[in-house]
Amino acid sequence: MSKLEKWQILNSKMVLDNPWCQVRQDEVKLPNGQIIDDYFVNIRPDIVLVLPITASREIIFVRQYRHGAENFFIELPAGRFDPTQESPEDAGMRELQEETGYVAQELRKIATLYDNPSKDNNQIHLYLAENVIKTGEQKLDITEEIEVILIPVESVLEKIAQGEISVSGSIAALLLGLKFITD
């Protein structure tokens, strides 16, 4: 039995409440009795991330500009969603189609992860979509400009090692998901 204890929240207030960014300031009491009055937590939406693979064993990636890092990145299709409004599976199907024009018959859950549990409260839901097919065009938001890239399964690990694929959520989905398709 673990002797670790949760932190006790003494007071909590929203210090930034914008639809795109929310930050909560907590006053917390640590198990050792010390009080921290300015622990900040990012309130973030859940994310769904899809590992889509065609029948010819190509993985569908998206390449897009990410302003926080001020660079272009090759990633798996992904997006935010509200779990009170739609399931992770429905959000994954929607994001795959919107960002790439590809659709899947079904999604298989890979894992649910936390990216930065020290400061962020959200989860990342990873799914595998096999035998995806292109059925239409992208349906992008005003902030999105996305290039669709197909990469053979056999080339993915090399692209990670070379730094061409460097986004942590995509790498986690790839490393966990490749086990499903090679078994």
Side-chain angles (χ1 to χ4, degrees), residues 51-61 76 102 129-132 149-156 174 178 181:
L51 169 53
I53 303 173
T54 67
S56 57
R57 294 183 50 84
E58 292 177 303
I59 298 175
I60 311 299
F61 286 92
L76 293 172
Y102 283 79
E130 295 180 281
N131 300 315
V132 299
I149 300 172
L150 281 69
I151 299 175
V153 169
E154 297 76 26
S155 302
V156 168
L174 289 164
L178 288 175
I181 63 169

Side-chain angles (χ1 to χ4, degrees), residues 45-46 80-87:
D46 277 12
R80 55 190 268 165
F81 74 100
D82 181 346
T84 66
Q85 302 295 313
E86 67 182 329
S87 70

Side-chain angles (χ1 to χ4, degrees), residues 64-73 75 143:
Q64 60 189 319
Y65 178 75
R66 295 301 199 179
H67 187 65
E70 298 182 12
N71 209 345
F72 291 89
F73 292 91
E75 307 170 68
T143 61

Side-chain angles (χ1 to χ4, degrees), residues 12 25 41 48 52 56 76 94 99 117 137 139-140 144 151-152 178-179:
S12 187
Q25 181 179 358
V41 176
V48 63
S56 57
L76 293 172
R94 176 181 49 75
E99 291 190 358
E137 299 303 314
K139 296 177 183 168
L140 303 176
E144 294 177 315
I151 299 175
L178 288 175
K179 179 181 176 1

Side-chain angles (χ1 to χ4, degrees), residues 3-111:
K3 295 181 183 182
L4 297 175
E5 297 177 33
K6 284 186 170 184
W7 295 5
Q8 181 183 357
I9 298 175
L10 303 175
N11 193 17
S12 187
K13 66 181 177 183
M14 292 298 282
V15 292
L16 180 58
D17 195 2
N18 179 288
W20 294 101
C21 183
Q22 295 179 307
V23 179
R24 185 183 77 218
Q25 181 179 358
D26 290 344
E27 178 183 7
V28 295
K29 182 177 181 181
L30 305 179
N32 65 9
Q34 189 164 2
I35 294 179
I36 298 174
D37 62 1
D38 62 350
Y39 196 90
F40 294 93
V41 176
N42 299 309
I43 309 299
R44 302 191 55 197
D46 277 12
I47 302 294
V48 63
L49 193 144
V50 180
L51 169 53
I53 303 173
T54 67
S56 57
R57 294 183 50 84
E58 292 177 303
I59 298 175
I60 311 299
F61 286 92
V62 294
R63 182 175 180 270
Q64 60 189 319
Y65 178 75
R66 295 301 199 179
H67 187 65
E70 298 182 12
N71 209 345
F72 291 89
F73 292 91
I74 296 172
E75 307 170 68
L76 293 172
R80 55 190 268 165
F81 74 100
D82 181 346
T84 66
Q85 302 295 313
E86 67 182 329
S87 70
E89 295 86 355
D90 289 344
M93 292 282 205
R94 176 181 49 75
E95 288 291 338
L96 175 62
Q97 194 280 323
E98 287 175 0
E99 291 190 358
T100 69
Y102 283 79
V103 296
Q105 293 299 314
E106 66 178 296
L107 297 180
R108 184 168 24 154
K109 185 161 192 154
I110 297 173

